[in-house]
Amino acid sequence: MSVVPHSSETVTARVPVPRLSPEGHDPQSTVRVPVTGPLRRLLVWYGVASLGVYLALGAVNSVLLPLQVEAVDPAQKAANLAIVTAVGAVGGMVAQPIAGLLSDRTRSRWGRRAPWIFTGALLAAGAMVVLGGMTGLVGIGALYLLVMVSLNIYFSPKAAVMPDRVPRGVRGLFSASGGLGVLVGITGGMGLGAVLSGTPAVGYSVLAVVIVLAAGGFALFNPDHDNRGEPRPPLQWTAFLRTFWVSPRQHPDFAWGFLGRLLTLTGYYITTTFQLYVLQDHIGLGDDAVDAIPLISVVSLLSTLVSTVVGGPLSDRMGRRKPVAVAAGLLIAAGLVAPWVMPTMTGIIVFAVLAGLGFGSYLAVDQALLTEVLPTTEDNGRYLGVLNIAVTLPQALAPAIAGLIVSVLSYAALFPIAMVVAVAGALAVLPIRSVR
């Protein structure tokens, strides 16, 4: 027999209440909430935290490290730089998912992410100061490895802050903020590296201070929930092995997102990693190449700023991420045509404009797109750490690929090969189904 409730009785279904972020929002909400107050402060510092990392990487990878490596053995500079950067990138690639996994399980009064962000920044700063005094290839390689591992311990938990605390409806804006930090950091770092190229030890020390200030400000002004009372899943040794594997069959969108990021960034980095050497030997500037870098940096910065500022908010308004990501990869490929067919400063400037527009557009939506293909919300740090391998792996692959191409073929061959890779990255985004 069924019992019909009396008309005066109320039947209520229990609806789970979403856990709000420290800023007072539901991270899974698709509503475009106003970005004001604490959420706006988080937006600003999200960009600043990226700026600190990439200002260092831009200066070190583009100028300071190549000059250090060249001073050891000018005749073997390309091969030696490829080895040093590849070793560092592989170390960073391994560190990211592990740092993400450990931060997922961290319980502290400062939350899950802040302890790892600040610790990674301190380790990176110390390693940079020591790296500035290295004169041998082994010492340079070992310290650069420590710098890359430390920066990835910082950056992986920082990336998890977006799915942890930012509503889906405004993640394009946050992705643009992080992208601006990357772009201003890389291009500004190139210029700063050129200015400080005469005193590399001073340059490394300045960058160390910048990293600590960026990480400390992010953690201090955007405190997370005290999570010491939350249950902590047991951590078994097998979890470390599983950290690096996400089944493409079970999570195809995750796999396509990984592949798209990997190929797009590899296509871009194949030439930019060797920018100094391209200017010296392909464009023919010789010793004047360092003086040309600030001009290229300014041109690239202006174009990337335009596309980043437009791309992220535009994707929020359209409710679409994929068209912007695809167009970005194609723009990078188009930019590579110019220095290939026109090996002059004009060709390099055209490349800086078009590739800058593409790179900025990609970074404006990349983080937002990939936070929406994560298999679960409980292990954001781990999954983003795996996805961030697609950021660090190109830093390992691109110098190795570029060094091989230059050794076997020529500097001119870098550009068509990078074009093919960038186009493949754009096309890899298309099969993603969970994101429009």
Side-chain angles (χ1 to χ4, degrees):
M1 175 188 292
S2 61
V3 179
V4 180
H6 189 272
S7 58
S8 63
E9 295 177 356
T10 304
V11 178
T12 1
R14 292 193 174 184
V15 179
V17 178
R19 176 181 170 85
L20 300 184
S21 70
E23 292 73 35
H25 298 282
D26 175 12
Q28 299 308 312
S29 171
T30 56
V31 178
R32 290 181 60 208
V33 300
V35 182
T36 58
L39 189 60
R40 180 170 57 193
R41 183 170 62 245
L42 180 64
L43 172 70
V44 171
W45 279 101
Y46 191 82
V48 171
S50 294
L51 175 65
V53 172
Y54 283 93
L55 190 67
L57 290 176
V60 172
N61 290 347
S62 297
V63 181
L64 299 180
L65 185 66
L67 288 175
Q68 272 186 299
V69 171
E70 184 179 23
V72 174
D73 185 355
Q76 298 296 321
K77 61 183 181 182
N80 288 340
L81 181 63
I83 293 170
V84 170
T85 53
V87 170
V90 169
M93 177 183 68
V94 173
Q96 281 222 22
I98 293 176
L101 173 71
L102 294 175
S103 72
D104 286 335
R105 287 159 172 77
T106 296
R107 301 293 179 263
S108 78
R109 61 177 296 185
W110 303 283
R112 294 187 288 179
R113 315 300 181 190
W116 293 95
I117 291 171
F118 197 59
T119 298
L122 287 176
L123 289 173
M128 276 198 167
V129 171
V130 180
L131 175 58
M134 291 291 105
T135 56
L137 192 63
V138 174
I140 291 171
L143 267 298
Y144 181 74
L145 171 62
L146 182 55
V147 166
M148 293 302 293
V149 168
S150 303
L151 285 179
N152 282 284
I153 290 174
Y154 166 0
F155 201 69
S156 181
K158 180 264 176 185
V161 169
M162 186 190 293
D164 283 353
R165 297 164 62 170
V166 178
R168 287 175 179 260
V170 293
R171 287 186 189 175
L173 182 60
F174 272 76
S175 185
S177 175
L180 279 174
V182 173
L183 298 169
V184 175
I186 289 177
T187 53
M190 290 178 185
L192 180 61
V195 170
L196 297 172
S197 60
T199 54
V202 174
Y204 279 113
S205 298
V206 169
L207 296 170
V209 173
V210 169
I211 290 170
V212 172
L213 291 177
F218 181 80
L220 177 65
F221 292 109
N222 302 277
D224 202 352
H225 291 303
D226 182 336
N227 68 343
R228 286 176 290 182
E230 295 180 9
R232 176 165 45 195
L235 182 61
Q236 300 174 341
W237 287 109
T238 54
F240 286 101
L241 299 178
R242 293 195 304 269
T243 296
F244 297 91
W245 174 250
V246 179
S247 171
R249 179 171 297 186
Q250 295 178 11
H251 307 291
D253 284 356
F254 185 94
W256 284 116
F258 180 96
L259 184 63
R261 173 184 267 187
L262 174 70
L263 293 175
T264 301
L265 295 182
T266 300
Y268 182 76
Y269 288 139
I270 281 176
T271 53
T272 56
T273 301
F274 270 29
Q275 178 175 259
L276 179 63
Y277 300 162
V278 167
L279 291 172
Q280 288 176 337
D281 302 330
H282 179 64
I283 305 301
L285 297 184
D287 293 337
D288 296 329
V290 172
D291 297 331
I293 290 178
L295 172 61
I296 298 168
S297 300
V298 169
V299 172
S300 180
L301 176 60
L302 292 176
S303 61
T304 52
L305 282 174
V306 171
S307 58
T308 304
V309 169
V310 172
L314 178 62
S315 76
D316 282 340
R317 285 195 293 271
M318 294 190 307
R320 293 175 177 269
R321 316 287 189 202
K322 287 163 62 175
V324 180
V326 172
L330 297 179
L331 272 171
I332 292 172
L336 288 161
V337 175
W340 179 30
V341 301
M342 188 168 43
T344 62
M345 274 299 295
T346 301
I348 289 292
I349 294 298
V350 172
F351 165 74
V353 172
L354 293 180
L357 288 171
F359 191 52
S361 299
Y362 185 76
L363 291 181
V365 298
D366 170 58
Q367 296 178 55
L369 188 155
L370 294 180
T371 60
E372 295 174 15
V373 300
L374 303 181
T376 68
T377 58
E378 290 78 16
D379 293 314
N380 287 335
R382 175 211 164 189
Y383 288 123
L384 281 169
V386 174
L387 285 173
N388 284 337
I389 290 176
V391 176
T392 53
L393 188 56
Q395 297 172 37
L397 291 177
I401 293 170
L404 180 63
I405 293 169
V406 170
S407 300
V408 176
L409 300 172
S410 66
Y411 280 100
L414 289 173
F415 303 101
I417 293 173
M419 285 168 52
V420 172
V421 176
V423 170
L427 297 179
V429 175
L430 295 176
I432 297 175
R433 295 183 178 181
S434 59
V435 181
R436 297 172 64 193

